[in-house]
Amino acid sequence: MRPMTAPPEWRCQAADLPPGRTLAFAVACGGRPVQAFVVNHQGTYGAYVNRCPHTGTTLDLWPNEFLSDDGRWLICATHGAVFEPASGACVAGPCAGDALTPLPLRLEGEALVVSGLP
Ligand code: FES
């Protein structure tokens, strides 16, 4: 169920997102709550709006299930688009050449902080 409100920033402890893991959350974009997620791919973090550029559905059919079985790619569960975790670029599938919408992400001490969009 989508939340009615969302904070302008979301944060977690970096230790809670080890390599090969993702976390889903909601953050405010344009004053509205938007589903989003962070991924740690081999030590590189990425934060994206959870919206496939193909039809606009969320990527995870099952909550927080974004990665391929081998952990190398982000996968859209609806039609199988394949995205690079570090860049969000779609490299295969019906929206190849497009990309996930990135969100600003920074480290503050031991915390990962993701900002929404204005
Ligand atoms: S909705 Fe994601 S590949 Fe079609």
Side-chain angles (χ1 to χ4, degrees):
M1 173 177 279
R2 293 177 185 269
M4 298 302 288
T5 61
E9 287 186 341
W10 176 88
R11 63 180 59 222
C12 74
Q13 292 300 303
D16 292 337
L17 188 70
R21 298 289 299 274
T22 58
L23 288 170
F25 57 93
V27 69
C29 290
R32 301 175 136 199
V34 168
Q35 301 299 306
F37 68 98
V38 288
V39 57
N40 180 342
H41 180 65
Q42 300 177 346
T44 300
Y45 299 107
Y48 303 102
V49 174
N50 185 6
R51 182 186 315 126
C52 182
H54 181 216
T55 67
T57 65
T58 53
L59 276 66
D60 55 334
L61 194 58
W62 300 101
N64 200 34
E65 292 285 332
F66 294 97
L67 289 166
S68 58
D69 288 344
D70 64 6
R72 293 181 58 198
W73 308 101
L74 297 167
I75 304 290
C76 177
T78 304
H79 304 114
V82 179
F83 302 89
E84 289 182 342
S87 68
C90 182
V91 296
C95 49
D98 212 329
L100 299 173
T101 301
L103 293 171
L105 181 152
R106 67 184 186 278
L107 274 169
E108 281 186 6
E110 300 298 314
L112 279 175
V113 182
V114 179
S115 301
L117 298 173

